[in-house]
Amino acid sequence: MLALPRLVAVVAALTLICTLASGGAAQAAEKAIWGPASLPDGSSALGLYAELGVDTVQLSMSWASVASERPASAVDPSDPAYRWPNEIDVAERAARSRGIQVALLVASTPPWANGGRAQTRVPDEPQDYADFLTAAARRYPTVRRWMIWGEPNRDDRLQPNTENGLSGGDRR
């Protein structure tokens, strides 16, 4: 067993090594906000977010709005079927210029992908959603955080759904 002074020295040395390995100083906590890209007067909200010290802004994008028709080349962001939201394009550039990361929440199934059911219904082929997300990632290469559907366990978000997102009798 180590003597107490030696144990204190070992702990102090390990603490110093860990501190130096992590960059020397404590890292600041990340500040994120879920909010609009523009203020009520139409101006960009990104300046305000930067003043508040926000590191990440989460924006939402509707798959159904971007791809109201089935794209011929679904993984290609330049496919003519895609109508990328100008607000996301502008916000992504404004965020980047201010050192703010963008997180994108992508939800809402287009009718062509789920047999014409409600936008909350899952696509008939999950690969269609994966292809769209591939195109979106290519369109927005600086976006590194993606939220898939957003709170899919809520019954008003992603259907079909079951209690707590678990199936049948599995209620762990």
Side-chain angles (χ1 to χ4, degrees), residues 70-148:
R70 180 183 288 277
S73 181
V75 298
D76 181 357
S78 64
D79 187 287
Y82 288 135
R83 301 287 181 254
W84 300 102
N86 187 55
E87 181 175 282
I88 301 288
D89 292 340
V90 170
E92 189 266 339
R93 285 190 301 272
R96 187 175 353 122
S97 73
R98 290 175 171 85
I100 297 174
Q101 297 291 313
V102 172
L104 278 178
L105 180 148
V106 182
S108 304
T109 307
W112 60 261
N114 70 6
R117 295 184 302 249
Q119 292 182 2
T120 56
R121 294 291 297 193
V122 298
D124 294 335
E125 296 296 329
Q127 189 62 49
D128 289 334
Y129 188 60
D131 290 345
F132 175 72
L133 289 175
T134 299
R138 289 176 176 166
R139 171 77 178 198
Y140 305 108
T142 62
V143 174
R144 297 284 183 244
R145 295 181 175 139
W146 297 85
M147 184 177 288
I148 305 306

Side-chain angles (χ1 to χ4, degrees), residues 2-170:
L2 292 174
L4 186 56
R6 186 165 178 202
L7 179 60
V8 170
V10 169
V11 170
L14 288 173
T15 301
L16 178 61
I17 290 168
C18 290
T19 300
L20 293 174
S22 68
Q27 300 293 318
E30 185 173 337
K31 290 183 185 176
I33 191 166
W34 175 73
S38 57
L39 298 171
D41 67 2
S43 64
S44 174
L46 278 293
L48 174 61
Y49 297 157
E51 286 180 40
L52 293 171
V54 169
D55 301 299
T56 303
V57 61
Q58 179 189 313
L59 305 173
S60 298
M61 183 167 55
S62 166
W63 176 25
S65 295
V66 173
S68 60
E69 297 177 22
R70 180 183 288 277
S73 181
V75 298
D76 181 357
S78 64
D79 187 287
Y82 288 135
R83 301 287 181 254
W84 300 102
N86 187 55
E87 181 175 282
I88 301 288
D89 292 340
V90 170
E92 189 266 339
R93 285 190 301 272
R96 187 175 353 122
S97 73
R98 290 175 171 85
I100 297 174
Q101 297 291 313
V102 172
L104 278 178
L105 180 148
V106 182
S108 304
T109 307
W112 60 261
N114 70 6
R117 295 184 302 249
Q119 292 182 2
T120 56
R121 294 291 297 193
V122 298
D124 294 335
E125 296 296 329
Q127 189 62 49
D128 289 334
Y129 188 60
D131 290 345
F132 175 72
L133 289 175
T134 299
R138 289 176 176 166
R139 171 77 178 198
Y140 305 108
T142 62
V143 174
R144 297 284 183 244
R145 295 181 175 139
W146 297 85
M147 184 177 288
I148 305 306
W149 223 269
E151 301 181 71
N153 60 319
R154 290 182 44 170
D155 64 2
D156 64 337
R157 298 294 167 93
L158 182 64
Q159 295 296 317
N161 200 343
T162 58
E163 183 181 343
N164 298 318
L166 301 173
S167 63
D170 188 4

